[in-house]
Amino acid sequence: MATQNFTTGKLIDPKRVVITGVGAVSPAGIGVDALYDAVVEGRNAISALETQAAQAVNVHVAGIVRDFDGTEHGLTKKQARRWERFVQFAAVAADEAMQDAGFAIPNEEGAFDLPEGEDPTRFAVVYGSGIGGMEIFQNESIKLHEKGAKRVNPLFIPTMISNIAAGELSIRYGLKGECSNCVVACTTGTQCIGEAFRLIRYGDADCVLAGGAEESIVDISIAGFANLGALTHEEDVNKASRPFDVNRSGFVAGEGAGAVVLESLEHAIARGAEDKIIAEVVGFGTSGDAYHITSPDPQGDGIVRSMKIALDMAGFEPSDIGHLNAHGTSTPINDKTESRAFCDLQGVEFSEIPVTSTKGLTGHMLGAAGAVEAIVTALCVRDEIVPPTVGFEEADPECAVTIYKEVRRDVPQKVAISNSIGFGGHNATLAIAPYKA
């Protein structure tokens, strides 16, 4: 069925959208290989958090990107000095994704050029952060209080704001299409990829760099989440984040970034990049709970609607799903609600469709989570595997879903789902399928 192009008003046929590049910075390490190896092996990447503020609120673990130095990963000293941690994460992940897709050609200025003939006005950026520059916000607030207003960093605002990652990425690669930033709490990464999918599907861009980044291991952030009652107080890193487990006790704060390059299938074929296609994004759904600012609607109706929208757009039925990459935060309410939604989607009391949560090994990367999980889902679809859920040991009778402790291989994947849920009642779903010519 023809649809209308948002910019020109012309009727067009919806375009197929493929993933041709991926990049990641995560607690598992720098790069997608480090992340994916940990996912497949079921290796925990959570570590001890020993700051004074964390100890004061009885928090002992976090998903930390250890020993990160942006200058070791393609950033200049000036960029590493000026850019907030979430922007540095975004740039390193995006560099990997753009080079993976064959779009980033390093130049003498320390940035990148697009390949000859590529139209930068048709290459968009949709890249977000759930919170943005928390560290500079915290530090400059202290400076204001202790030293006065004139001592506040003049670059405080443009350094802190969450859209600055998208802006810097646009500048870095010379991308002149739409440059935007979706901020929907923990749904940010998924929403950004979904909006990028829409831009291409309906003809407003040929290619989009999309994803999300977060720098949440900051005293004020840890204290806020802990005082809200959201974080686990578990001291053992191997028992801290355990999605869907009967003994789960709260989420583990994580940080990092995920970046994907999406493009229309016809564009990828025209530039000779069909061999770079990892998977196809076939549907995107989003909904609002209209229920509570921090708690999902316990009926799970909004989650079900989001998944149905994505599947309907893709032309698949619930029975076609190979696995579900859940939001799976390891909080009692979230995991129970999602489990109910998965069962309701299929009209069953117990779901045999495998469910996994990447947060068992990374913790909850907030605005970066959906992007990282979309990458994991795409790779698992490509490789026909269902990854284990790290930390899961004992099933919860109130979570009537199938969880694996070990990787399952040679599992056909007609389509897989990656879900995100955010404070404010946001739900977003990506449907990702193997690419078939």
Side-chain angles (χ1 to χ4, degrees):
M1 179 182 295
T3 57
Q4 196 168 43
N5 176 287
F6 299 148
T7 303
T8 66
K10 294 180 180 178
L11 292 179
I12 62 165
D13 292 323
K15 298 180 184 297
R16 292 176 65 183
V17 182
V18 293
I19 301 171
T20 53
V22 290
V25 174
S26 76
I30 308 301
V32 167
D33 287 348
L35 169 68
Y36 193 48
D37 286 349
V39 167
V40 174
E41 294 168 12
R43 178 165 26 90
N44 190 0
I46 293 166
S47 56
L49 178 64
E50 298 175 342
T51 65
Q52 186 175 353
Q55 298 299 313
V57 291
N58 195 25
V59 172
H60 308 280
V61 298
I64 305 168
V65 179
R66 294 284 184 186
D67 303 318
F68 178 80
D69 182 347
T71 62
E72 295 179 356
H73 302 287
L75 305 188
T76 66
K77 290 182 179 179
K78 182 178 180 180
Q79 289 166 340
R81 184 175 66 253
R82 285 197 171 187
W83 288 356
E84 272 294 275
R85 193 170 168 91
F86 82 100
V87 179
Q88 295 187 47
F89 289 159
V92 173
D95 283 357
E96 181 182 18
M98 290 288 281
Q99 291 181 79
D100 188 30
F103 278 125
I105 302 172
N107 61 32
E108 294 180 356
E109 286 89 42
F112 296 86
D113 295 321
L114 290 176
E116 186 176 352
E118 197 65 49
D119 183 354
T121 68
R122 297 284 299 170
F123 207 132
V125 180
V126 185
Y127 203 96
S129 175
I131 305 175
M134 287 301 290
E135 186 171 15
I136 193 170
F137 180 88
Q138 173 181 283
N139 293 345
E140 295 304 311
S141 296
I142 293 170
K143 190 184 295 183
L144 173 67
H145 177 71
E146 293 181 348
K147 298 182 179 181
K150 290 188 176 181
R151 297 296 297 275
V152 171
N153 188 335
L155 292 176
F156 166 54
I157 296 299
T159 304
M160 175 201 72
I161 50 180
S162 63
N163 70 294
I164 208 64
E168 291 287 9
L169 295 180
S170 173
I171 295 167
R172 188 167 181 79
Y173 311 110
L175 309 182
K176 299 181 179 181
E178 178 175 319
C179 181
S180 60
N181 165 37
C182 300
V183 182
V184 278
C186 305
T187 316
T188 294
T190 300
Q191 188 78 31
C192 285
I193 295 173
E195 296 300 336
F197 165 77
R198 284 172 169 169
L199 284 175
I200 297 170
R201 179 177 172 83
Y202 301 121
D204 287 289
D206 295 325
C207 311
V208 187
L209 172 60
E214 207 74 82
E215 55 169 77
S216 56
I217 316 301
V218 180
D219 287 349
I220 193 169
S221 180
I222 295 294
F225 279 121
N227 292 338
L228 183 63
L231 299 184
T232 182
H233 300 304
E234 178 62 59
E235 296 184 34
D236 186 341
V237 296
N238 294 310
K239 296 180 178 180
S241 183
R242 35 187 170 180
F244 302 100
D245 191 280
V246 70
N247 294 309
R248 65 192 183 280
S249 57
F251 79 77
V252 172
E255 63 177 358
V260 300
V261 174
L262 304 181
E263 59 184 300
S264 70
L265 174 59
E266 63 184 9
H267 185 275
I269 292 173
R271 72 182 184 95
E274 192 172 6
D275 62 332
K276 293 184 176 294
I277 296 174
I278 297 165
E280 183 172 356
V281 181
V282 291
F284 172 57
T286 186
S287 70
D289 282 349
Y291 176 74
H292 191 271
I293 62 168
T294 59
S295 176
D297 180 352
Q299 301 304 311
D301 293 343
I303 304 170
V304 173
R305 283 187 287 110
S306 181
M307 292 188 290
K308 281 185 174 179
I309 292 167
L311 285 173
D312 287 348
M313 182 182 293
F316 288 105
E317 299 294 331
S319 59
D320 294 321
I321 299 171
H323 78 284
L324 292 148
N325 191 310
H327 190 58
T329 57
S330 187
T331 58
I333 294 175
N334 177 90
D335 295 3
K336 178 180 176 181
T337 301
E338 267 200 289
S339 296
R340 176 171 184 165
F342 295 152
C343 292
D344 288 350
L345 175 70
Q346 302 161 68
V348 297
E349 292 186 2
F350 182 88
S351 172
E352 295 184 356
I353 294 175
V355 173
T356 185
S357 172
T358 308
K359 293 179 180 69
L361 72 94
T362 62
H364 190 351
M365 297 168 68
L366 306 181
V372 167
E373 290 156 15
I375 291 168
V376 170
T377 304
L379 295 173
C380 289
V381 161
R382 180 195 67 184
D383 296 342
E384 294 193 327
I385 70 170
V386 177
T389 295
V390 175
F392 177 82
E393 291 293 337
E394 184 179 351
D396 182 351
E398 294 191 317
C399 295
V401 292
T402 299
I403 310 289
Y404 293 152
K405 296 181 185 180
E406 303 290 338
V407 65
R408 299 293 179 97
R409 300 184 184 274
D410 300 318
V411 181
Q413 301 283 315
K414 284 186 179 180
V415 66
I417 276 180
S418 183
N419 266 352
S420 290
I421 301 169
F423 282 178
H426 308 286
N427 307 294
T429 301
L430 291 167
I432 300 173
Y435 166 65
K436 294 181 180 179

